[in-house]
Amino acid sequence: MVDILDQDAHVLAGLIRDKELSAEELMRATLARIEAVNSSVNAIISLRDAEACLADARAADAMENKGPLHGLPVAIKDLANAAGLPTSFGSPLFADFIAPKDDLMVARMKAAGAIVIGKTNTPEFGLGSHTFNPVHGATRNPYDLNRSAGGSSGGAAVALATGMMPIADGSDMMGSLRNPGAWNNVYGLRPTYGLVPSDMPGDAFLHQLAVAGPMGRCPQDVAMLLDVQAGLHSDDPHSYVQAPSAPQLAGDIKGMRIGWLGDWGGAYPMEEGVLDTCEGALSHFEALSAKVEKLPAPFPTEKIWEAWVGLRAWANAGGKAAFYNDPAQRGLLKEDAIWEIETGMALTAMDVHRLSVIRSQWYAKLIALFGEYDALLLPSAQVWPFPVEWKSPETIAGQAMDTYHRWMEIVIPVSLVGVPCVNIPAGFSAAGLPMGMQLFGPRMSDAKLLRIAQRWHEATEFKDRKPDLAALSR
């Protein structure tokens, strides 16, 4: 008998719509799974009272269907506001903050019928692809509780992998939808910049690095949530209208050309087994009649890194300088946040201009590549999930990491220029740890990437290898 929580989110939504499953039944099963598993992995935080969640589910059963997420329980990443729930950002500065209203993305999910029951854990201010913070502690990988879940959407990815959530929201500046997707054997889409609009206060024009987006156990679920999150909004000058993605997932990928960038010609150090695992998975594309071609390094990685470090630090300084300038608050900031702020504050206007020129040069080269290839591929991480006690890896293959985030350098060719990218599962290490690959394409190709990912999902066996829930429930 199939456990109801093993069903994909779009299937559950259809069962609720057709009155074959009640939202209350789904909520009871969800709360029971959280009760059994969450104490082992620490993925869901700020959980609402069970009776209040069940009351909302009964109300959903009594009303007309509100939309594609009707009756589905969700937990919101703790970098976004959900009215009445804490938004800690994983920081002691906000440990007691209760959100007075929903962020735009959360409001759209609720309007589509989702029932918000809590939050998912994240690193402090989302900095670093390892989910731990002094407010809620560390989130553990369900495939090995001694390992990192990735981040910053680590709580969301673990909630999906363990069946505690059918879908999840996340956000991504430096791999935060892709790295935890890879390390938890699920899908995470970093959308085209602007597709999922934001109404966050602050600058709306300069800092085009971070995005919000969907996660799911299959691309069809990712597309369903993306269509709820996406769309024009007057508060975001970069937002735009795009045809819904979910109806575009049908069709084969026969004849598509996909470029494999591997370790970028040896520029990215890789832990043993990562590259072999990803390259071993590429044959699935051949089985789908798509052609994979190995490509040489297309652009100097040191230039991409230089632009990324400066522009990311500049964005962090712009958003967090007020905390730094208050001595009492500065004492509560983690070391990595202070480093980002100080690095960003040291930049001149002409420094920023020079870095943005590098970004523009890389974008021009990338667009030329997309003139030849339907999509490109890179590993989603350079290392396997590492011990949960670590802050970050200090070396990879004998090469020292000179910053707290250098170990995730492989994600920034995508992040720097705002193109869409979906993590697709790629297999497991000898120790049973998951890995994934970044499938990325030109701006506004989100639906095409999800179509490729859906064919991949159907053709591969990775989805069948799930965490041992019995072990997590002990």
Side-chain angles (χ1 to χ4, degrees), residues 137-351:
T139 296
R140 295 173 179 269
N141 194 302
Y143 288 90
D144 183 340
L145 294 176
N146 296 311
R147 300 281 166 165
S148 170
S152 62
S153 306
V158 172
L160 283 171
T162 56
M164 292 190 289
M165 287 291 120
I167 49 171
D169 72 288
S171 55
D172 186 310
M173 186 185 233
M174 191 176 177
S176 293
L177 282 156
R178 293 161 282 161
N179 162 254
W183 283 4
N184 289 278
N185 198 37
V186 298
Y187 295 83
L189 173 73
R190 178 190 165 96
T192 299
Y193 188 85
L195 179 56
V196 175
S198 172
D199 61 347
M200 296 289 286
D203 175 73
F205 287 93
L206 294 175
H207 302 299
Q208 299 182 38
L209 297 178
V211 300
M215 303 185 80
R217 289 191 291 269
C218 69
Q220 190 168 345
D221 288 351
V222 172
M224 178 178 71
L225 181 53
L226 175 66
D227 290 343
V228 169
Q229 296 173 332
L232 190 68
H233 191 267
S234 60
D235 288 355
D236 188 337
H238 304 287
S239 65
Y240 62 95
V241 175
Q242 180 170 290
S245 293
Q248 300 183 59
L249 297 195
D252 63 38
I253 62 172
K254 184 177 181 180
M256 287 191 182
R257 296 179 68 197
I258 299 172
W260 168 241
L261 291 164
D263 61 0
W264 209 276
Y268 295 134
M270 310 290 290
E271 188 174 2
E272 184 177 358
V274 171
L275 206 58
D276 289 343
T277 297
C278 292
E279 290 182 339
L282 296 178
S283 61
H284 291 288
F285 281 115
E286 302 289 348
L288 291 165
S289 299
K291 185 177 182 180
V292 179
E293 301 175 27
K294 187 174 182 179
L295 301 181
F299 197 82
T301 54
E302 65 270 18
K303 301 299 291 183
I304 294 176
W305 178 252
E306 178 187 8
W308 175 259
V309 169
L311 294 174
R312 173 183 165 96
W314 182 51
N316 274 296
K320 301 175 180 67
F323 309 140
Y324 178 88
N325 291 330
D326 181 334
Q329 292 185 316
R330 185 190 305 178
L332 295 175
L333 292 174
K334 75 174 184 177
E335 180 183 348
D336 299 335
I338 292 174
W339 180 85
E340 292 277 5
I341 294 166
E342 290 180 343
T343 301
M345 291 174 67
L347 295 171
T348 67
M350 293 311 296
D351 288 333

Side-chain angles (χ1 to χ4, degrees), residues 36-41 141-143 145 162 467-474:
V37 170
N38 194 53
S39 60
S40 293
V41 293
N141 194 302
Y143 288 90
L145 294 176
T162 56
D468 184 349
L469 294 181
L472 298 179
S473 301
R474 290 171 185 162

Side-chain angles (χ1 to χ4, degrees), residues 1 25 39 49 88 241 250 296 329 333 338 398 400 422 435 437 453 471:
M1 182 177 179
E25 288 175 296
S39 60
D49 175 74
S88 77
V241 175
Q329 292 185 316
L333 292 174
I338 292 174
V422 59
M435 183 49 62
M437 294 187 291

